[in-house]
Amino acid sequence: LTPTASAVIGSLTLTVSGLIPPESLPESVLTWWVGDATGSILIAPLVLAWATQRGMLLPRQWLELALLLLLTLLVCGTVFGGMLPEQFHHYPVSYLPFPLLVWTALRFRHRATTSVLLLIACCALLGTHRGFGPFVRQDLNQTLLLLQLYVATMTAMILFVSAIIAERQQAVAERPKPGDRVKGKVIAIGEEQVFVDLGGKAEGAMDIGNLKD
């Protein structure tokens, strides 16, 4: 609701002030709304990740992260910094940073993932502002809209992947180990084994000879 209110009020103000013609009002509202929504899904997870997560990286992880950041800057410079040869401009080079984002989500936690997302978004914004990259158009509003949709799509996809990976890692970490005491409900008793519901989606089995009152 907040992006919608901001987009409508801001665009109406520009129209009343004469800064944009009335026929451009719908286009202005859409661009403004996409920009606000993109900022929300990009910045809010970054702030939450750095405010809530704890823990330090291992020395080898620092080296891996440094290599990842270096490759990210190199790829962003190629895509959005004008380093790409002209004959490759019509190729979908905007997807080149995606494998690096997947690498970040797989190997690091939300703090690194959201930080790399912000880095790529800033590089894309700076390069597009300087007239480089695949989103530069003659129409400034179209340029802004394409850039914002790119950042929003990239952010939503990687945050979704990162959440799935984090959930799976947490489930693996909480999985009972041999010798751990667990509580559960007996759901079936076979001739040789007893099947136990451990809660959630977890189930276990034990030899019937180990069953105690």
Side-chain angles (χ1 to χ4, degrees):
L1 293 178
T2 301
T4 303
S6 174
V8 172
I9 295 174
S11 298
L12 286 175
T13 302
L14 293 178
T15 303
V16 173
S17 302
L19 297 177
I20 61 173
E23 59 270 16
S24 299
L25 179 60
E27 190 177 22
S28 175
V29 171
L30 176 61
T31 305
W32 198 312
W33 182 87
V34 173
D36 286 354
T38 300
S40 298
I41 65 174
L42 180 65
I43 300 301
L46 176 72
V47 174
L48 290 174
W50 281 94
T52 58
Q53 290 188 356
R54 297 293 183 269
M56 295 293 294
L57 297 177
L58 299 175
R60 59 180 178 82
Q61 290 179 309
W62 281 111
L63 292 175
E64 184 180 359
L65 182 60
L67 175 61
L68 174 63
L69 293 176
L70 180 62
L71 289 176
T72 301
L73 290 175
L74 179 61
V75 170
C76 288
T78 302
V79 177
F80 303 107
M83 298 170 54
L84 194 68
E86 188 175 353
Q87 60 268 29
F88 296 106
H89 285 182
H90 63 283
Y91 287 99
V93 293
S94 58
Y95 293 100
L96 289 179
F98 278 56
L100 297 174
L101 287 169
V102 175
W103 177 9
T104 309
L106 287 172
R107 297 290 297 160
F108 301 97
R109 301 181 66 186
H110 292 305
R111 285 193 297 183
T113 303
T114 53
S115 298
V116 173
L117 276 169
L118 180 62
L119 175 61
I120 295 175
C122 290
C123 291
L125 177 62
L126 179 61
T128 303
H129 175 69
R130 295 176 58 195
F132 300 116
F135 307 118
V136 177
R137 300 292 188 274
Q138 294 294 331
D139 185 359
L140 178 59
N141 190 77
Q142 187 179 7
T143 298
L144 286 173
L145 190 58
L146 289 173
L147 176 62
Q148 292 165 355
L149 289 174
Y150 170 76
V151 174
T153 302
M154 174 181 63
T155 302
M157 184 192 71
I158 295 302
L159 289 180
F160 180 71
V161 172
S162 180
I164 293 177
I165 294 173
E167 183 180 2
R168 182 175 180 83
Q169 290 175 342
Q170 183 178 1
V172 171
E174 294 177 353
R175 182 180 299 170
K177 299 177 179 60
D180 289 349
R181 288 181 173 271
V182 295
K183 293 182 179 180
K185 178 181 179 181
V186 176
I187 55 177
I189 300 178
E191 295 182 358
E192 298 181 356
Q193 288 185 320
V194 177
F195 298 92
V196 182
D197 181 8
L198 300 177
K201 298 181 180 180
E203 294 183 355
M206 60 182 296
D207 293 337
I208 196 169
N210 295 328
L211 185 63
K212 299 180 180 179
D213 294 335

